[in-house]
Amino acid sequence: MAVTLRDVARLAGVSSATASRALDPSASAATETRDRVMAAAAELGYIGNTVARSLRTSRTDTIGLLVPDVRNPFFTDLAYAIDKAATEVGLTVMMGSADEDGDAQDRYLVALERHRVDGLLVVPQGGPRPMLQRIVRAFPTVAIDRDADLGVPVVSSDSGGGMRALIDHVISLGHRRVAVVAGPQSTSTGRERLSAAREQLREHGLCLAPGDVVEGDFQLGSGLRAARTLLAATPPPDVIIAADALMALGVLTVLRERGLRLGTDVGVAAFDDNPWFAVLDTPVTVVAQDTARLGRQAVEALLARIAGREVEPSPVPTTLVVRSSLGEAARHGDPHFTPAARTKEDIHG
């Protein structure tokens, strides 16, 4: 027997009208009420009328794509790759950018529900929020980049392998004091990259002290703040690793403000590549993700789910791109190279 809106309202202890408003992020509802109603809908597996109609009709040849922040170069490239892969198989992509905000994610999910997309590709914001849980019960869904325990296939890069390769490279250059601008620990990618850095440093007999890690949010501002915090330490780090390109840009900006030489005074590396990283005076060493392959694999996985087939995607390999921002040029010319000696005044400006 189908679950109705009245069932949801009864479980949540509200009227049907209140439940309807709470399930519509564009309508007014108290936060506590909205959370209670969404939790009830998720528990009962409620599918709204719009979704129920879509399940009874033919395909629309449209899929939804929800990314956290279209300003982030990685997600821009990923969205492009997904659109190209979808076009090749006759699909149209409707995209939303949630700005790393769970409430914005909910609003876009409702919009995609109303447009009756055939399936959904989503980079989840944080954990398994009630609205997202409800939607994945109603639509074939594939998660990309982040695993939010939704019980759906996850297409992602081998973040752990990429970070381990980067740490090995950093240590091979003679660096010992490593700091990390970590991604948000509410995301699986943020946790995986930081955990891999810790574990691989331990393999080399080193560790990340509490002051060597600053949690960011995969956006520029947090990279700026993290760099200022890390460079205030005594002694400052030899190397700062940023868990994404935007936070790396923040670190590079602070180094430039303080007149510090990239790769000589402080080494910087990033997880994620960007075209302009290669054309800086000191090109930036990165762990590059294969966005084209991620996009193709995500679309293929979603098509399988739409067809009712189970899929278990394998992590997409990453590539360590060695340039000069960790002092590689100096190391190449001198087999006994060690990071340049620096005073507190040099670093703090």
Side-chain angles (χ1 to χ4, degrees):
M1 185 175 180
V3 177
T4 67
L5 180 63
R6 183 176 299 176
D7 297 326
V8 174
R10 185 181 300 113
L11 180 60
V14 298
S15 68
S16 294
T18 298
S20 179
R21 288 196 303 274
L23 289 171
D24 182 354
S26 65
S28 176
T31 300
E32 188 274 334
T33 300
R34 191 185 301 278
D35 290 345
R36 194 165 73 248
V37 171
M38 286 184 176
E43 180 179 338
L44 294 173
Y46 171 69
I47 300 176
N49 290 336
T50 305
V51 178
R53 284 195 302 271
S54 73
L55 294 176
R56 293 193 297 267
T57 60
S58 60
R59 284 177 52 176
T60 63
D61 292 326
T62 303
I63 62 173
L65 170 62
L66 188 55
V67 299
D69 186 355
V70 76
R71 297 170 301 176
N72 187 314
F74 168 69
F75 293 117
T76 303
D77 290 346
L78 180 62
Y80 177 79
I82 288 170
D83 184 66
K84 295 294 287 184
T87 298
E88 289 175 1
V89 293
L91 295 175
T92 299
V93 179
M94 296 184 63
M95 192 192 79
S97 176
D99 200 27
E100 297 285 1
D101 179 79
D103 291 336
Q105 173 182 265
D106 288 348
R107 290 193 294 272
Y108 276 114
L109 290 172
V110 168
L112 292 169
E113 175 187 31
R114 287 173 174 167
H115 281 84
R116 304 197 300 271
V117 293
D118 294 330
L120 180 66
L121 296 171
V122 58
V123 182
Q125 314 298 298
R129 292 170 60 95
M131 177 64 76
L132 185 54
Q133 289 180 311
R134 181 171 75 83
I135 291 295
V136 301
R137 287 191 176 101
F139 291 94
T141 302
V142 171
I144 313 176
D145 188 57
R146 304 174 184 177
D147 186 350
D149 296 322
L150 295 168
V152 301
V154 181
V155 174
S156 64
S157 296
D158 181 8
S159 287
M163 185 59 79
R164 287 189 290 272
L166 177 57
I167 292 295
D168 286 345
H169 176 63
V170 166
I171 300 306
S172 76
L173 295 169
H175 301 295
R176 293 296 178 266
R177 179 75 189 280
V178 178
V180 176
V181 183
Q185 297 304 286
S186 60
T187 65
S188 62
T189 45
R191 294 190 299 270
E192 185 177 1
R193 292 171 191 176
L194 179 57
S195 176
R198 289 188 190 279
E199 292 171 3
Q200 201 62 17
L201 283 169
R202 280 198 293 267
E203 289 290 319
H204 292 280
L206 302 171
C207 68
L208 282 174
D212 296 332
V213 178
V214 178
E215 182 177 348
D217 59 6
F218 287 142
Q219 296 186 338
L220 174 65
S222 65
L224 294 168
R225 294 186 294 272
R228 291 169 183 141
T229 297
L230 292 170
L231 292 174
T234 305
D238 299 330
V239 167
I240 299 175
I241 296 174
D244 89 324
L246 281 181
M247 295 191 299
L249 175 59
V251 175
L252 295 172
T253 300
V254 173
L255 262 60
R256 186 177 183 85
E257 288 174 352
R258 300 188 178 192
L260 297 173
R261 296 168 296 172
L262 177 61
T264 302
D265 296 322
V266 180
V268 174
F271 204 107
D272 287 343
D273 202 1
N274 189 284
W276 52 262
F277 278 166
V279 299
L280 295 175
D281 290 341
T282 303
V284 178
T285 292
V286 301
V287 176
Q289 301 190 69
D290 189 344
T291 52
R293 184 169 171 182
L294 282 167
R296 287 195 305 273
Q297 189 164 308
V299 171
E300 290 169 0
L302 184 58
L303 286 173
R305 296 298 298 128
I306 291 171
R309 302 194 305 270
E310 295 296 327
V311 289
E312 294 184 10
S314 299
V316 174
T318 55
T319 302
L320 176 64
V321 181
V322 176
R323 295 179 178 134
S324 305
S325 61
L326 297 171
E328 288 91 344
R331 177 66 174 86
H332 181 73
D334 177 4
H336 303 293
F337 168 76
T338 55
R342 294 153 296 163
T343 66
K344 180 178 179 180
E345 288 73 21
D346 289 333
I347 300 298
H348 296 175

